[in-house]
Amino acid sequence: MGTADFIVVANRLPVDRSGTEEGEEQWRPSPGGLVTALNPVMRQADGAWVGWPGQADLEVEPFEFDGMQLVPVALSAEDVELYYEGFSNDTIWPLYHDVIAAPRYRREWWQAYVRVNRRFAEAAADAAAEGATVWVQDYQLQLVPRMLRELRPDLVIGYFHHIPFPAYGLYSQLPWRRQVLEGLLGADVIGFQRVADASNFARAVRRQLRYDTKASGIRVPTEDGGARLALAKAFPISIDAEEYIRLAQRPDIVARAAEIRESLGNPKKVLLGVDRLDYTKGIRHRMKAFGELLQDGRLAVEDVTMVQVASPSRERVAAYVHLRDEIEQTVGRINGDFDTMDHTAIRYLHQAFPREEMVALYLAADVMLVTALRDGMNLVAKEYVASRVDNRGVLVLSEFAGAADELGTALRINPHDIEGVKDAIVRAVEMPAAEQGRRMRSLRKKVRDHDVSDWSSEFLEALDAVRRSRS
């Protein structure tokens, strides 16, 4: 039994290996919403983080980093291929994102998923003190809660699902649908991004397992013939709003935003898309809409430029390789048709940028395009809003992103409706300053009133309530 009273279990550790120096491992903090969200909690609680160090066949002993105890879980190259690229990202990811791409069901992937989930559960069980709280994160580890409960019934276990949970008609395709539900129901609190996701989960539980579900409580039978209550409800995730506000006011970042506009030829309006290169993000849809607006003469390349940042993603999964080719062909075609010597229609950047550069881009952009076909939350929408300390700019937001539930004064779109997307872009480009201000103030209040610390504290309060009910 370990000594940590609070443990996070996630696919990745919150650090990246940056080489070795004189035989010593060198680590740096990794970027990412989850790390930002949980860092403060980890520091307060003197917690441990269980995760994969990010490289295949890397065996590392537990170590301390930035006030956190890190517990690496080693994965072989085969584990990465079968559990991570296979089951997690070629079965679960497409299935849970409404089958935008076809999921593949392979038994050896599932076997690897079970095997690797058990390894994570055992590492957490070994690190946890008596009666500790363990918070499991996301779809790569859906079996961990039950495994952990079997190993350590004394623990209070939470699970948060960062991506959508699909409607029953889709979920029921999964050959291992019962095992996954039973895995998740090992947790005392199961959190989702949207109310609809929690409802989809409860319905799957009713249909598959025939358990009673009332309000957000699910009665899970126990071995002694009784039942315990698992709470399944929405806890929408957010961002560290104050950090974005601070960065947006830094003189060097404000100057960089002006420099970005200058480098684009000072167009009247800049449209921005920022996404992981993923088929769920609707990048092709927004480019198609923009290309048609140029074609129709409703926008002119001299006046409006689109910047698309698409950070590299899952470069060994075939669907992603194909997507990158498609998007780059589209960019080439639109730019070939509409560029002038002085103006480019789409400035496309297939790379990741540090947060400071992202905030400069948010400040430089008049219109933020979030056209996800399906998204658990989409924190980029919230980052853009938090960064707009001038109360200017327009957020065009897909109704299929979780953020649409909270960000009510954005211009909402159905990204499949290309005519509707085109109209929204034109409306955003032409929106008067007073209306921009009215909408943006309302959006910024939402993001500031519910930031990432509220998200984590609400979830942890729900886990504390479970602990109290046991004593």
Side-chain angles (χ1 to χ4, degrees), residues 138-372:
D138 222 5
Y139 65 102
Q140 301 95 343
L141 303 174
Q142 295 175 98
L143 308 180
V144 168
R146 178 177 181 168
M147 292 171 169
L148 203 46
R149 181 171 291 281
E150 287 167 355
L151 290 166
R152 293 285 304 273
D154 58 300
L155 300 176
V156 175
I157 302 167
Y159 169 89
F160 187 75
H161 195 73
H162 292 256
I163 68 172
F165 195 90
Y168 182 70
L170 293 175
Y171 180 76
S172 61
Q173 291 181 22
L174 184 66
W176 308 280
R177 57 202 184 181
R178 290 178 68 90
Q179 294 96 310
V180 168
L181 294 174
E182 286 166 349
L184 292 170
L185 286 168
D188 296 293
V189 178
I190 306 146
F192 297 92
Q193 299 281 25
R194 308 179 83 161
V195 173
D197 296 321
S199 304
N200 286 344
F201 173 72
R203 178 151 192 256
V205 168
R206 282 197 302 276
R207 293 288 298 270
Q208 277 301 316
L209 305 177
R210 304 276 182 239
Y211 294 173
D212 280 348
T213 63
K214 287 201 177 65
S216 41
I218 297 172
R219 286 178 66 78
V220 183
T222 51
E223 281 176 2
D224 59 9
R228 61 181 183 83
L229 211 58
L231 180 71
K233 62 175 282 202
F235 295 88
I237 199 169
S238 195
I239 60 166
D240 181 354
E242 294 308 315
E243 170 69 359
Y244 282 89
I245 290 166
R246 187 183 67 75
L247 289 172
Q249 293 171 324
R250 250 173 54 182
D252 58 323
I253 292 179
V254 173
R256 176 67 188 135
E259 212 173 84
I260 289 169
R261 289 189 76 102
E262 182 75 36
S263 71
L264 296 169
N266 276 323
K268 289 179 186 164
K269 298 286 177 176
V270 174
L271 314 181
L272 175 64
V274 173
D275 310 86
R276 223 167 30 79
L277 187 67
D278 194 290
Y279 50 75
T280 61
K281 302 296 185 184
I283 300 171
R284 288 171 298 189
H285 296 62
R286 82 180 65 134
M287 287 183 173
K288 183 175 176 59
F290 182 57
E292 286 189 13
L293 286 169
L294 294 174
Q295 180 75 53
D296 302 344
R298 291 175 72 186
L299 296 180
V301 74
E302 292 81 8
D303 298 332
V304 183
T305 292
M306 177 191 282
V307 177
Q308 176 63 55
V309 176
S311 56
S313 169
R314 301 178 189 156
E315 291 165 294
R316 287 168 48 176
V317 178
Y320 289 78
V321 176
H322 180 62
L323 175 71
R324 181 179 177 183
D325 289 346
E326 271 195 0
I327 286 174
E328 291 179 358
Q329 271 186 330
T330 304
V331 171
R333 194 169 59 246
I334 291 172
N335 285 348
D337 287 347
F338 298 107
D339 280 10
T340 65
M341 289 297 181
D342 302 317
H343 297 279
T344 292
I346 301 176
R347 180 71 61 88
Y348 171 76
L349 303 156
H350 180 247
Q351 47 202 276
F353 292 103
R355 186 180 293 181
E356 290 78 1
E357 183 74 352
M358 292 315 307
V359 173
L361 274 165
Y362 295 148
L363 291 175
D366 303 285
V367 180
M368 183 82 219
L369 299 173
V370 176
T371 57

Side-chain angles (χ1 to χ4, degrees), residues 7-113:
I7 295 180
V8 168
V9 188
N11 178 58
R12 284 292 303 271
L13 287 175
V15 292
D16 290 322
R17 188 164 176 255
S18 57
T20 53
E21 199 174 280
E22 296 171 13
E24 291 254 321
E25 298 279 1
Q26 293 296 306
W27 301 91
R28 59 168 188 268
S30 54
L34 183 60
V35 183
T36 316
L38 297 178
N39 235 333
V41 191
M42 296 298 285
R43 284 216 184 81
Q44 275 171 349
D46 196 20
W49 188 304
V50 174
W52 173 48
Q55 275 174 273
D57 300 307
L58 182 62
E59 300 270 356
V60 187
E61 288 299 307
F63 63 99
E64 189 161 308
F65 181 89
D66 204 13
M68 273 187 281
Q69 190 59 24
L70 301 186
V71 182
V73 175
L75 297 182
S76 67
E78 185 186 35
D79 290 332
V80 174
E81 184 189 336
L82 304 180
Y83 142 81
Y84 182 68
E85 292 170 355
F87 195 79
S88 296
N89 291 325
D90 219 352
T91 302
I92 292 292
W93 180 270
L95 178 66
Y96 283 27
H97 285 86
D98 291 358
V99 192
I100 294 163
R104 293 197 292 161
Y105 304 116
R106 295 189 51 190
R107 284 167 289 185
E108 78 174 321
W109 290 356
W110 165 252
Q111 287 152 9
Y113 188 77

